[in-house]
Amino acid sequence: MSLIIVSPLARIGEMAVRHGCLDMLSLMAVGHTFHRPGVIAAGRHLTLGLNDITFAGNEKLIAPAEEHVDGIVAFARGWQRETPLLVHCWMGVSRSPAAAAIAALAIAPDQDDDALADRLRAASPFATPNARLIAIGDAMLGRNGRLIAAMKRIGRGRDADGNTPFVFDPHPAAMVVPADAG
């Protein structure tokens, strides 16, 4: 049983090495370039190009869409789970926590949405999962509004400086571990 490490872009190299990650999911704006940590092979890295917005988007901003959630679900289901999965966005606060929740439900669909949301909040007081990603994930994974309601219940996280990675266990009855712990 492996973990999901949620990180801001600035700390992906450190988190990949510290936690022994071999798989990485990046949710970044199209055209935003960054270096993949050397411990992550290109074939085990998926980059999804989307902005952290909740409206339909325009010619400059790409809204989260079904194709992005399809990518998250497929990548999570293909993750071999022998090492933690590193999920990141720019700040590690909105897109990546939403992707972590969707990934958790993709690999362990029988879990309770409220318990998942509570684990996410316990792991990060800053997480504010992108509502559009959550809504699409809810529909695609057949949650019938339960995931949306659970995320609304935990509400917006505290203000963040974008420098606080966290460890999220995608499985029910999980123990929370700070990302900075060995």
Side-chain angles (χ1 to χ4, degrees):
M1 186 162 44
S2 203
L3 304 169
I4 297 176
I5 310 303
V6 178
S7 178
L9 175 63
R11 300 205 41 203
I12 60 174
E14 172 194 353
M15 292 297 107
V17 171
R18 177 177 289 174
H19 295 283
C21 301
L22 296 177
D23 300 275
M24 185 168 78
L25 175 59
S26 303
L27 297 98
M28 299 294 294
V30 171
H32 191 129
T33 60
F34 60 94
H35 295 286
R36 176 177 33 82
V39 297
I40 308 285
R44 293 179 80 164
H45 178 214
L46 175 65
T47 300
L48 299 172
L50 66 153
N51 294 91
D52 186 19
I53 58 176
T54 57
F55 58 91
N58 57 38
E59 64 279 352
K60 294 184 180 183
L61 298 174
I62 299 171
E66 285 185 9
E67 65 197 48
H68 301 117
V69 175
D70 272 338
I72 294 166
V73 169
F75 195 75
R77 289 180 176 159
W79 168 39
Q80 296 173 6
R81 296 179 231 150
E82 75 276 11
T83 62
L85 170 62
L86 178 59
V87 179
H88 80 91
C89 58
W90 176 251
M91 302 256 311
V93 173
S94 184
R95 287 170 287 183
S96 51
I102 292 165
L105 289 170
I107 63 172
D110 292 335
Q111 63 185 299
D112 179 76
D113 299 80
D114 282 316
L116 177 131
D118 289 341
R119 288 196 324 274
L120 187 65
R121 175 57 68 231
S124 173
F126 308 105
T128 303
N130 180 284
R132 188 173 176 105
L133 277 171
I134 292 296
I136 296 166
D138 182 279
M140 290 182 72
L141 294 170
R143 307 312 291 184
N144 299 315
R146 294 185 311 274
L147 181 60
I148 295 168
M151 292 302 169
K152 282 184 181 177
R153 183 183 55 74
I154 65 166
R156 183 185 184 282
R158 295 192 339 224
D159 287 344
D161 64 3
N163 193 30
T164 311
F166 64 93
V167 175
F168 177 65
D169 192 321
H171 305 282
M175 183 175 108
V176 177
V177 180
D180 290 334

